[in-house]
Amino acid sequence: MSAGRVRAWLLAAALGVAAAPAAQETADPAALPPVALADLHYGDVLFHFYQDEYFGAIVRAEAYTAQGHMVPHAEDAELLLGGMYLSFGQHARAGEIFERLLGRPDTPPAVRDRAWFHLGRVLYARSYFEESERALRRAGAALPPALDAERRLLIAQGLMYRGRYDEAVAELSGWSGPASWTAYGRFNLGVALVRAGRLEDGLALLGSVGAMDAAGEEMKALRDKANVAAAYAMLQAGRPAAARDVLGRVRLSGPQSSKALLGAGWADVALERYSEALAPWLELQGRSLLDAAVQESYLAVPYAYAKLDAEGQAAELYDRAILAYEAERARLDESIAAIRDGRMLEAVLAADREEGQGWFWQLATLPDAAESRYLYHLLAGHEFQEALKNYRALDFLGRNLAGWRDSLDV
């Protein structure tokens, strides 16, 4: 195998581990060609790499390089090291390595573009949107169509997170990609247009996504989300009748159903149809109070009764809402106390502490505790996942240092 092919394979292997959940790539040793070793120290690094022991492989690669043992595989080892740093979440160090190695004129375009794409995606996942955009724009024409479509979506989404909606619109205008990505592109562009003040253009795109034929659960959820987004934009624009029609397309069993029911009620209120508003709001009250839409319904229902001159029933339901809120607040206070004493984080990581080290690790199980009921919703949030990964990495490094301290004494 040539040195160039070895470098390309190593980068694909390293970045495949980092990107496995989205790109379905893998660094399975049985599925990849062998590497001819000129030094056993490099083989030791690869052994730990294939065991998903990235930290151990990083330490060995750095130490062997400093000791001069990696000269026969210097470039390959550094490229692999960059991929491992990236997988471990050390984006700054990985970026330095990629900047140095992939800026060379002899780097194959396909290798270079995939490296910048995966680096940009990890930066995006960690909310470093400016750095992510710079890396993603370094990836170019050599990317496969699906990855190039995702690249442009990530750039546009990062622009929207920073409130630069006009630039996001420009990024996605004229965009095309695989069928599944096209739906996401239209949705994101529609949201960007609405936020940029171009309501009609945005509603047209959101409407196309909201009316599409959806085969799988993912596309059905996206369709519901587009209809909810369009309806709430119509409500804010003073068009409740149109919003009510659009919300009627949302499934009652999907993840957007609670928000759709709440919006349907407010659309009816705007049309002064208070009796009709009670139907979706009363449906909400049979759901979990953890949902913000359900919480709002506890105040919305008595409001509608008051508008219908049923003051006694409204007062009774306001009292019921107060009791429900007080009970939930007491449970919340208990959960906050449990979280502050540190036991919750210890319990969260106890079952998953030894399950791999990559930055795309996800929490698999929740502890059997009162505060866990609130984590189901938190876990869906990007900020919580990233904070948890940071905490888990610090916990791992702390235990690692403690182990080496004892070993040094021996």
Side-chain angles (χ1 to χ4, degrees):
M1 181 185 298
S2 68
R5 289 185 62 195
V6 170
R7 285 197 295 273
W9 169 75
L10 285 171
L11 183 62
L15 295 177
V17 172
Q24 302 301 319
E25 299 174 14
T26 174
D28 178 10
L32 295 168
V35 177
L37 294 176
D39 190 288
L40 290 179
H41 294 87
Y42 187 49
D44 186 29
V45 172
L46 289 177
F47 173 81
H48 288 276
F49 167 71
Y50 281 132
Q51 304 302 313
D52 293 338
E53 297 174 3
Y54 304 129
F55 187 81
I58 289 171
V59 170
R60 285 166 173 79
E62 294 279 20
Y64 294 154
T65 298
Q67 295 167 5
H69 295 305
M70 304 287 272
V71 174
H73 298 282
E75 291 186 9
D76 298 338
E78 201 164 11
L79 198 53
L80 179 64
L81 185 62
M84 291 189 296
Y85 272 122
L86 186 59
S87 180
F88 206 72
Q90 302 299 312
H91 59 88
R93 177 71 175 123
E96 293 172 2
I97 293 173
F98 290 152
E99 286 274 4
R100 182 173 62 253
L101 289 179
L102 299 185
R104 297 174 181 172
D106 61 339
T107 301
V111 173
R112 180 195 62 226
D113 286 355
R114 290 175 75 89
W116 289 122
F117 168 77
H118 288 300
L119 177 60
R121 189 169 62 174
V122 169
L123 290 168
Y124 176 87
R126 298 212 61 201
S127 300
Y128 293 106
F129 299 121
E130 291 186 10
E131 295 87 344
S132 171
E133 182 182 355
R134 284 197 294 268
L136 289 169
R137 291 195 185 280
R138 297 286 295 270
L143 279 178
L147 294 187
D148 186 57
E150 184 179 357
R151 178 185 70 88
R152 291 191 62 186
L153 284 178
L154 291 175
I155 291 173
Q157 194 73 18
L159 289 168
M160 282 190 279
Y161 272 118
R162 287 176 281 165
R164 293 159 58 178
Y165 302 118
D166 289 334
E167 294 177 59
V169 169
E171 185 65 38
L172 287 176
S173 294
W175 176 88
S176 62
S180 59
W181 286 112
T182 300
Y184 281 101
R186 289 178 178 172
F187 174 81
N188 289 334
L189 182 54
V191 171
L193 287 167
V194 169
R195 291 177 177 175
R198 296 167 56 182
L199 179 64
E200 297 306 322
D201 292 336
L203 289 177
L205 281 168
L206 291 173
S208 69
V209 179
M212 69 179 181
D213 292 329
E217 181 61 30
E218 182 181 0
M219 289 294 104
K220 289 178 181 178
L222 180 64
R223 182 178 62 191
D224 287 346
K225 191 172 184 179
N227 284 320
V228 168
Y232 272 80
M234 291 173 180
L235 281 173
Q236 291 177 348
R239 294 156 59 178
R244 190 65 172 84
D245 291 340
V246 170
L247 288 169
R249 304 174 190 166
V250 180
R251 297 171 299 158
L252 285 175
S253 58
Q256 299 294 319
S257 60
S258 293
K259 197 170 183 179
L261 288 168
L262 180 66
W266 284 120
D268 287 329
V269 165
L271 296 168
E272 298 185 354
R273 302 190 313 213
Y274 303 111
S275 296
E276 288 85 345
L278 285 170
W281 285 348
L282 288 171
E283 166 67 22
L284 277 175
Q285 293 199 348
R287 303 187 177 194
S288 171
L289 197 58
L290 291 175
D291 193 314
V294 176
Q295 295 169 16
E296 188 170 338
S297 74
Y298 273 71
L299 296 178
V301 168
Y303 170 80
Y305 276 116
K307 286 291 187 179
L308 292 168
D309 296 325
E311 285 85 359
Q313 196 164 3
E316 181 181 343
L317 288 169
Y318 276 126
D319 286 337
R320 177 190 169 196
I322 291 171
L323 291 175
Y325 289 155
E326 286 180 346
E328 192 64 28
R329 185 174 65 180
R331 286 192 289 267
L332 231 110
D333 289 340
E334 293 174 4
S335 298
I336 290 171
I339 290 169
R340 284 177 173 167
D341 70 12
R343 292 196 305 267
M344 188 276 289
L345 279 175
E346 182 64 26
V348 163
L349 296 183
D352 298 274
R353 183 168 273 152
E354 305 302 330
E355 297 295 324
Q357 299 169 3
W359 196 252
F360 286 92
W361 167 86
Q362 296 287 324
L363 181 64
T365 58
L366 287 175
D368 183 14
E371 59 270 19
S372 293
R373 67 194 299 263
Y374 299 102
L375 294 179
Y376 288 103
H377 293 269
L378 281 174
L379 280 173
H382 174 70
E383 293 82 1
F384 183 88
Q385 285 285 351
E386 293 306 307
L388 182 61
K389 290 171 186 175
N390 284 330
Y391 179 83
R392 186 174 183 267
L394 288 172
D395 173 73
F396 167 78
L397 293 173
R399 290 184 291 109
N400 185 75
L401 289 172
W404 275 105
R405 180 187 58 205
D406 295 339
S407 297
L408 287 172
D409 290 340
V410 172

